Amino acid sequence: MKHTFKLAALSMLCANAFAAPAYLPIGPNLTYGAVSNNQTIISNVTNPAAGAAVFTKEDSQYRFGILSSIGGGYEVGQVEDLKNQFDSTIKKLTEAQSLDITQQAVFSSPGVFNIPATAANIVGQLNSLGVDPTNALMNSFQKEGFLKTFFSIQAPFTPFVVSHKGLGGSFVLDANASAVGAMSFISDPIAQFSATDPALLNPSNYSVNGTTANLNFTLPTSDSTFLVKGAVIYDLALGYSRPVVEQDIGNLYVGFKANYYKVGLTRIAQRLQSLQGKNSNDAFKNNDQNRVYSSGFGLDIGTLWISKNYRVGAWLDNVNKPSFKFNEIDVTAYSDAAVKAELSKSATYEMSSQLHLEGALYTESQNWVINVGADANAVKDPVGNEYQWGTISAAYATDSWWIPGFRTGYRTNMAGTKLSYLTGGLTLFKSVTLDVAYGLDSVEIDGQKGPRSAMASLGLELTF
């Protein structure tokens, strides 16, 4: 049992995820938030109305990413407490397995003993040293024992934006890939020993050395399970936007974006007790073979009002709510109904609709800008974590090739983990962007303290 728990903890803390999330804010949007502005081309992959809105000075203009944007990050639970609790539980289990039950056993001769009913008095020690701390540990694993990594990348030369008066607006071609991998734990509490448990009254379950007897016990069967889920999502999108109202006080833009998704989903369930003698690579080595690919289409619509010194907008993504299925999990070996239900309900990933709201104040030149963005509802990513971002940022966009632009901000997930970040970024030579998000919640592992979550993104884009 001791080795099983050590392996389980190692799998939780160090499991290699497949790649990573579909809801990672890419490029400078990591700092700006999911808002539209003319300081970065990445704004054109948020509000579908933004493509035409950023081109107001020239008859025609072209904008594209060169190496585009690449980013990644991670999230972990409060594993510092889990490690301490795990060490304490292992110590108690060792004590329980070494219980000297001489006082409860009656020896008829050296090496031979009988077990009266009073031997069952040790049940209290077994429950307090074995069952109770094990159940508490598994409950903590279910609440905080998760590890998640994620990654996103734009295809070279995307987004590619073409704006021309002859087109009546702007076309945006976008291609990107994202991935997410996460490990979580589903707890099935172990039943306590009872005073009438036949295992406690069976002499064959004891080891005898002279006049000393020790109980060799194993904890009852449990369906507690490690669940690993992963997704790879390819998105090819074509959008169009145009002005529909043009007045002296401002312009109203509308737009739509059609997305073609190719989604690869995989999940692997490993019962805790089946991990005995395995390492994490052996236990989860078939993740690629289990991945199921399917395709679907999503539609985004948006609107944006732009005035001289402010803008407000809203858009709804995945209006049609495309859904994709994971591979099947064999639950025939499971007996606990709650665990089976938890495994069954994770069989489908739906790209639920999410309403995004945005606003900005800026100078007439739009070199200085303050952005605010908020999601009106929470949605789940492919591994089941909820996201509902709220962001605020301030930025300066330079017109110089030598003076860098800069931005700083704050973002928080108002659902799910409710993690918050300080964000910041630089634009160098009017084309190279570097942005980071540093989690404000910390965790300490093996004496090393760091953020529970962090993200970073690098990009290269041009306008001509």
Side-chain angles (χ1 to χ4, degrees), residues 205-216:
N205 290 334
Y206 296 80
S207 60
V208 181
N209 181 14
T211 58
T212 300
N214 292 92
L215 172 63
N216 300 314

Side-chain angles (χ1 to χ4, degrees), residues 144-333:
E144 294 291 347
F146 70 90
L147 168 66
K148 178 178 179 179
T149 58
F150 39 87
F151 172 83
S152 290
I153 185 171
Q154 294 286 135
F157 305 108
T158 67
F160 185 76
V161 185
V162 179
S163 180
H164 196 286
K165 284 190 175 181
L167 299 174
S170 298
F171 281 96
V172 179
L173 177 65
D174 182 36
N176 63 80
S178 59
V180 56
M183 173 177 280
S184 59
F185 186 75
I186 304 171
S187 177
D188 173 29
I190 297 172
Q192 289 193 326
F193 287 100
S194 69
T196 58
D197 194 324
L200 301 182
L201 304 176
N202 186 349
S204 65
N205 290 334
Y206 296 80
S207 60
V208 181
N209 181 14
T211 58
T212 300
N214 292 92
L215 172 63
N216 300 314
F217 83 99
T218 57
L219 291 178
T221 300
S222 169
D223 277 342
S224 293
T225 296
F226 284 97
L227 178 62
V228 176
K229 299 179 72 175
V232 177
I233 300 177
Y234 303 96
D235 180 11
L236 179 63
L238 179 64
Y240 176 76
S241 58
R242 60 168 297 148
V244 293
V245 176
E246 296 180 285
Q247 297 183 352
D248 293 338
I249 60 172
N251 299 331
L252 178 65
Y253 298 85
V254 297
F256 73 91
K257 183 171 63 172
N259 301 272
Y260 168 74
Y261 298 112
K262 183 177 181 181
V263 179
L265 301 175
T266 184
R267 56 184 185 149
I268 299 175
Q270 283 285 352
R271 294 173 71 239
L272 182 62
Q273 292 181 326
S274 70
L275 292 174
Q276 184 71 41
K278 296 182 181 179
N279 59 39
S280 59
N281 287 332
D282 291 335
F284 304 106
K285 64 183 179 180
N286 293 322
N287 49 28
D288 287 327
Q289 292 89 328
N290 291 339
R291 185 171 290 126
V292 175
Y293 281 93
S294 57
S295 300
F297 293 89
L299 177 64
D300 306 341
I301 57 174
T303 183
L304 188 62
W305 172 265
I306 297 182
S307 190
K308 182 177 181 181
N309 296 110
Y310 73 92
R311 73 176 68 201
V312 291
W315 75 99
L316 187 66
D317 57 19
N318 294 310
V319 176
N320 57 320
K321 300 180 182 180
S323 63
F324 308 87
K325 289 189 176 296
F326 281 89
N327 56 296
E328 295 291 334
I329 291 180
D330 184 3
V331 296
T332 56

Side-chain angles (χ1 to χ4, degrees), residues 420-423 436-440 449-451 453-455:
S420 299
Y421 306 78
L422 287 179
T423 56
V436 296
Y438 188 89
L440 298 179
K449 193 172 184 179
S453 53
M455 295 179 277

Side-chain angles (χ1 to χ4, degrees), residues 324-404:
F324 308 87
K325 289 189 176 296
F326 281 89
N327 56 296
E328 295 291 334
I329 291 180
D330 184 3
V331 296
T332 56
Y334 289 86
S335 58
D336 185 79
V339 176
K340 293 172 71 172
E342 187 69 22
L343 294 175
S344 298
K345 79 177 186 180
S346 63
T348 301
Y349 165 49
E350 179 184 86
M351 291 185 177
S352 300
S353 302
Q354 188 172 41
L355 176 63
H356 309 268
L357 307 174
E358 64 164 305
L361 296 173
Y362 42 79
T363 59
E364 185 174 355
S365 66
Q366 298 192 34
N367 290 96
W368 292 94
V369 61
I370 297 175
N371 302 290
V372 177
D375 298 334
N377 62 293
V379 296
K380 291 184 178 181
D381 69 1
V383 297
N385 298 142
E386 285 191 327
Y387 282 90
Q388 185 179 3
W389 290 116
T391 61
I392 184 171
S393 64
Y396 170 72
T398 180
D399 292 323
S400 169
W401 284 90
W402 311 112
I403 301 175

